Amino acid sequence: MPGRLLPSLNALRTFEAVARHNSFTRAAEELNVTQSAASRLVRSLETYLEIRLFNRHSRRIELTDQGRFYSDLVKDALDRIEAGTVELISTRDGRGTLSIGMLPTFGTRWLVPRLSSFQETHPEISLNLISSDGELDFAKERIDVAVRFGHGNWPDAVAEPLMSEEIQVVCSPSIMEGEHPLTDYEALEHHSLIRHSTRPQAWEHWFRAVGIAPQNIKWGPSLEHFFMVVQAAIAGLGIALLPSFVVEDDVRRGNLVAPFSVRVGGPGAYYLVTPTAKAELPRVRVFSQWLLSQVR
């Protein structure tokens, strides 16, 4: 069986450094070799590939189109190898740092208040909490696990369901004391409805669930995070539709009122998402087991 078609790792390291610095001199200083040695290694790589990677001018160099493509590829590969090496060295025997990409409001309202019990049980693991609610890119964000809301279909990852979500209508007490209090669903038409920008269909989902079809919807502000929606509702900017776990403290304190007793299941669930390559790391396993025990 033929071996891998791979050039010298030393030549690749040198090429990546030269491309990054756009200089043989600075790359040679970084790698602690002579400039001529760095140039020779890059030449050997070009000979191996039978492709010119740099255009060489009298006082400068520039990547060719093929060189630019290859430098991006090689840099990504070396970054991954470096990250994996650091990973193994820093996490021997289950120790090290666990980086958690958490949804901002879920993290502050639900996860963070419970983390002390994990730290008491596993003091050998340091936690690094990263506010993260965009597209999942574990390599770019350098996170080990993430909490996401969705339907469990993240590629190249293990997704374990944590909890479903109940959503409910809330508003400022001042609205209940005003001209059009929310004594029935029809009263919603007199108020602006605050939207969560990452869940634009949430209100429509709620309307269908409770069996109403309002004719005169007035849309209020569209906000990116739940905690912004909460503050907008408290300030009386409109009516909000929020997960029960997000608003329970504010309802209990009287900052918000839940005018309707109905709670509707949300169009998705919270998941613990782990890249497949890291799912069996000791620190990831113990955190997953602990988090699942918290929701059960």
Side-chain angles (χ1 to χ4, degrees):
M1 185 175 180
R4 291 180 180 273
L5 184 64
L6 292 173
S8 154
L9 177 60
N10 204 19
L12 290 174
R13 288 181 63 235
T14 305
F15 165 65
E16 188 275 334
V18 174
R20 179 161 35 86
H21 290 295
N22 199 34
S23 165
F24 280 99
T25 301
R26 292 173 63 189
E29 291 172 355
E30 176 185 310
L31 299 172
N32 197 28
V33 297
T34 64
Q35 182 179 342
S36 61
S39 179
R40 190 164 56 250
L41 282 164
V42 172
R43 289 278 190 191
S44 72
L45 181 59
E46 291 177 315
T47 300
Y48 179 85
L49 297 171
E50 298 182 355
I51 292 173
R52 178 181 292 180
L53 298 171
F54 291 98
N55 288 321
R56 294 163 173 82
H57 306 284
S58 58
R59 292 175 179 265
R60 63 185 178 87
I61 59 172
E62 63 179 5
L63 286 163
T64 63
D65 290 341
Q66 294 99 326
R68 191 170 296 107
F69 162 80
Y70 200 50
S71 70
D72 290 342
L73 186 151
V74 171
K75 182 179 185 305
D76 181 66
L78 293 178
D79 284 347
R80 288 174 179 270
I81 292 171
E82 181 183 32
T85 303
V86 172
E87 173 81 36
L88 290 175
I89 291 173
S90 65
T91 61
R92 285 189 289 256
D93 304 322
R95 297 176 180 274
T97 299
L98 180 75
S99 293
I100 307 167
M102 63 179 187
L103 297 169
T105 306
F106 180 89
T108 54
R109 297 281 178 132
W110 192 91
L111 181 59
V112 169
R114 292 168 167 80
L115 283 178
S116 60
S117 70
F118 177 79
Q119 290 282 243
E120 290 172 5
T121 310
H122 299 283
E124 75 281 3
I125 299 176
S126 300
L127 297 177
N128 179 30
L129 306 182
I130 301 167
S131 179
S132 171
D133 62 357
E135 290 294 321
L136 271 178
D137 187 334
F138 289 102
K140 182 179 179 180
E141 295 185 66
R142 299 287 181 90
I143 55 179
D144 301 311
V145 296
V147 175
R148 282 292 187 274
F149 186 85
H151 301 281
N153 52 346
W154 289 273
D156 302 317
V158 178
E160 298 182 87
L162 295 176
M163 65 174 73
S164 58
E165 183 179 80
E166 288 186 331
I167 52 178
Q168 64 184 117
V169 171
V170 292
C171 65
S172 166
S174 64
I175 286 178
M176 298 302 292
E177 298 164 1
E179 185 178 354
H180 298 288
L182 298 182
T183 54
D184 52 42
Y185 295 152
E186 286 73 19
L188 288 169
E189 297 186 9
H190 296 286
H191 301 278
S192 298
L193 306 185
I194 303 169
R195 288 177 290 180
H196 189 288
S197 60
T198 64
R199 301 196 194 176
Q201 304 304 316
W203 273 107
E204 284 78 1
H205 172 80
W206 188 85
F207 292 146
R208 288 193 301 271
V210 300
I212 62 172
Q215 301 301 308
N216 300 303
I217 298 175
K218 291 195 300 182
W219 294 116
S222 179
L223 303 169
E224 185 177 3
H225 298 298
F226 277 140
F227 66 83
M228 298 170 70
V229 177
V230 169
Q231 293 306 312
I234 291 174
L237 294 179
I239 312 302
L241 185 64
L242 288 160
S244 300
F245 79 86
V246 171
V247 297
E248 58 187 2
D249 285 346
D250 283 301
V251 170
R252 185 171 60 249
R253 293 169 185 155
N255 299 325
L256 290 171
V257 175
F260 311 127
S261 60
V262 63
R263 296 186 180 190
V264 171
Y270 290 94
Y271 287 82
L272 178 67
V273 188
T274 309
T276 305
K278 290 188 174 184
E280 295 304 315
L281 288 174
R283 72 181 189 280
V284 172
R285 284 206 313 270
V286 296
F287 180 76
S288 299
Q289 292 164 0
W290 171 81
L291 188 57
L292 290 170
S293 73
Q294 293 294 304
V295 298
R296 287 170 184 161

